[in-house]
């Protein structure tokens, strides 16, 4: 095994601290910025899905009522 010189060890420690600091900055950016935008986008999509869902339920209800009316016309 190679022996690590103290100066190289110090360089490695500084490099690790630098990487940890960058990682902390990236995490805070993701928390504060990207998640806020994602929340807004998800809310917009949720509203669209709700509109589509209610229109499908309304369409199915109208189709069922139409089929019931047609069935009663054949019965008479």
């Amino acid at each position: 095994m190679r022996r690590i010189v103290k100066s190289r060890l110090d360089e490695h420690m500084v490099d690790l601290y630098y990487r940890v600091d960058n990682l902390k900055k990236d995490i805070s950016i993701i928390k504060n910025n990207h998640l806020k935008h994602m929340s807004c986008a998800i809310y917009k999509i949720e509203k669209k899905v709700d509109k589509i869902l209610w229109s499908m339920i309304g369409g199915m209800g109208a189709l069922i009522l139409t089929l019931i009316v047609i069935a009663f016309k054949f019965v008479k």
Side-chain angles (χ1 to χ4, degrees):
M1 291 178 83
R2 237 172 39 170
R3 192 171 157 186
I4 297 178
V5 183
K6 183 176 178 357
S7 65
R8 291 207 48 185
L9 182 63
D10 289 342
E11 290 174 8
H12 287 294
M13 292 297 288
V14 169
D15 185 45
L16 284 175
Y17 285 129
Y18 178 72
R19 289 182 183 187
V20 168
D21 285 341
N22 282 339
L23 187 61
K24 285 181 182 178
K25 287 177 188 175
D26 290 342
I27 289 172
S28 71
I29 288 172
I30 289 171
K31 278 184 180 177
N32 296 327
N33 192 15
H34 298 308
L35 292 179
K36 227 179 266 183
H37 293 296
M38 285 175 55
S39 174
C40 293
I42 289 171
Y43 180 70
K44 287 179 184 177
I45 291 172
E46 182 183 0
K47 284 179 22 181
K48 289 179 185 177
V49 169
D50 284 345
K51 287 180 184 177
I52 292 171
L53 179 68
W54 283 109
S55 64
M56 288 177 64
I57 290 172
M60 292 297 286
L63 179 65
I64 290 171
L65 285 174
T66 305
L67 291 175
I68 290 172
V69 168
I70 292 173
F72 279 126
K73 282 187 181 180
F74 283 130
V75 171
K76 291 183 181 180

